[in-house]
């Protein structure tokens, strides 16, 4: 009778994932989810800080994977999905719950535009990853775009600004959300800073500048962080214009 029982096919080795880099990626996802929950509860400063924590963790997961040689396709896909939550859905919902809901249909459409732009930005980045110039990004990266949105919320809440004129806050929220979304799907060029080599020696002044920036950030984190990301967002048009000027000068010569 035992001969009538079909033998089970060997399922092969179980697929496994690397724990360490995916822990950081899970931290990104958790921070984005926690930001949404905090915004629902009306804790907008906590929500903004959670998104910035997600940015730090997002910057670490890839580096940890490369340092430990634990890169994988699973990790790359998991990272993109976590980024969509933390830097796409979370900032859109924070902006909507903060001020955009007061604008009715216009408010949720603006929030949806931002979330859609983040999804398109991540999809375009993944599709062109192999052929893209690693030194530059096309369009504002989604973490920087999220920093513009939640940084604005953090600064306005920290200053209790325009409490007597809520319409101004609604206009600010609408403008920053739409602008941040548009920059993500634009063709503007942004530096990725991936060509920087931190292992080489640098001038002493550079070390002093870093210390000075850390001191400023410690004195007033929301304003310093927002100012830094506003400058980065403005660098895109300038860098794109400079690359276009160089390309045109080479063609003319």
């Amino acid at each position: 009778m035992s001969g009538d029982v079909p033998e089970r096919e060997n399922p092969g080795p179980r697929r496994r994932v690397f724990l360490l880099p995916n822990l950081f990626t899970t931290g990104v996802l958790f921070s984005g989810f926690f930001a949404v929950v905090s915004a629902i509860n009306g804790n907008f400063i906590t929500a903004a800080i959670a998104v910035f924590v997600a940015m730090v963790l997002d910057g670490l997961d890839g580096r940890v994977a490369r340092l430990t040689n634990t890169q994988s396709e699973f990790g790359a896909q998991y990272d993109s999905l976590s980024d969509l939550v933390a830097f796409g859905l979370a900032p859109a919902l924070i902006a909507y719950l903060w001020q955009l809901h007061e604008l009715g249909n216009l408010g949720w459409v603006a929030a949806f535009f931002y979330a859609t732009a983040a999804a398109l930005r991540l999809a375009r980045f993944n599709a062109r990853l192999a052929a893209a110039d690693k030194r530059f990004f096309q369009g504002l990266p989604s973490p920087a775009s999220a920093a513009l949105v939640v940084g604005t919320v953090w600064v306005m809440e920290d200053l209790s600004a325009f409490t007597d004129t809520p319409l101004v806050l609604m206009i600010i929220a609408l403008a920053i959300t739409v602008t941040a979304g548009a920059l993500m799907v634009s063709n503007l060029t942004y530096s990725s800073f991936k060509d920087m080599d931190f292992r080489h020696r640098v001038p002493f002044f550079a070390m002093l500048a870093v210390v000075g920036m850390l001191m400023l950030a410690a004195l007033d984190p929301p304003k310093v962080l927002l100012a830094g990301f506003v400058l980065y967002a403005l660098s895109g048009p300038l860098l794109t214009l400079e690359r276009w000027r160089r390309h045109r000068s080479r063609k003319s010569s």
Side-chain angles (χ1 to χ4, degrees):
M1 294 295 291
S2 60
D4 298 332
V5 179
E7 295 183 359
R8 291 183 179 179
E9 295 183 0
N10 185 6
R14 294 181 179 179
R15 293 185 179 182
R16 300 182 180 183
V17 297
F18 295 109
L19 178 62
L20 186 58
N22 290 315
L23 278 178
F24 286 94
T25 306
T26 302
V28 175
L29 182 60
F30 173 82
S31 298
F33 184 81
F34 182 75
V36 173
V37 173
S38 298
I40 291 173
N41 293 328
N43 301 321
F44 295 108
I45 291 180
T46 303
I49 293 173
V51 174
F52 278 105
V53 171
M55 290 178 58
V56 174
L57 295 174
D58 182 61
L60 290 174
D61 60 0
R63 286 171 173 80
V64 168
R66 287 190 290 272
L67 285 173
T68 57
N69 196 26
T70 53
Q71 305 100 314
S72 66
E73 182 62 25
F74 173 86
Q77 298 303 323
Y78 187 31
D79 180 70
S80 292
L81 293 172
S82 299
D83 286 356
L84 179 58
V85 173
F87 309 126
L89 292 178
L93 290 172
I94 291 170
Y96 178 77
L97 294 168
W98 178 56
Q99 292 293 333
L100 292 180
H101 69 279
E102 299 286 354
L103 297 175
N105 289 341
L106 179 61
W108 73 257
V109 167
F112 177 71
F113 169 74
Y114 176 91
T116 305
L120 292 173
R121 170 69 177 77
L122 289 166
R124 182 175 66 178
F125 175 79
N126 291 337
R128 300 180 179 179
L129 186 60
D133 188 341
K134 298 296 188 295
R135 298 173 300 166
F136 303 102
F137 292 129
Q138 184 180 7
L140 184 65
S142 57
S145 184
L148 290 179
V149 175
V150 302
T152 301
V153 175
W154 189 0
V155 168
M156 294 295 111
E157 286 289 302
D158 185 60
L159 296 175
S160 298
F162 303 110
T163 54
D164 297 330
T165 53
L167 182 60
V168 175
L169 282 178
M170 296 177 205
I171 294 174
I172 291 174
L174 179 65
I176 198 69
T177 302
V178 173
T179 301
L183 287 174
M184 277 192 288
V185 293
S186 69
N187 288 324
L188 296 176
T189 300
Y190 287 89
S191 175
S192 68
F193 302 109
K194 291 183 179 180
D195 54 344
M196 296 179 64
D197 192 347
F198 295 98
R199 295 172 297 181
H200 291 172
R201 294 184 178 183
V202 296
F204 184 71
F205 177 77
M207 190 63 197
L208 289 178
V210 172
V211 173
M213 290 173 60
L214 291 175
M215 291 173 62
L216 286 174
L219 288 173
D220 199 339
K223 296 189 187 68
V224 172
L225 287 172
L226 179 60
F229 282 103
V230 167
L231 291 175
Y232 181 64
L234 293 175
S235 72
L238 297 176
L239 184 57
T240 302
L241 183 62
E242 176 63 18
R243 294 186 74 187
W244 175 81
R245 187 190 64 81
R246 290 180 180 178
H247 177 72
R248 187 174 181 182
S249 63
R250 283 197 298 266
K251 285 187 66 176
S252 61
S253 61

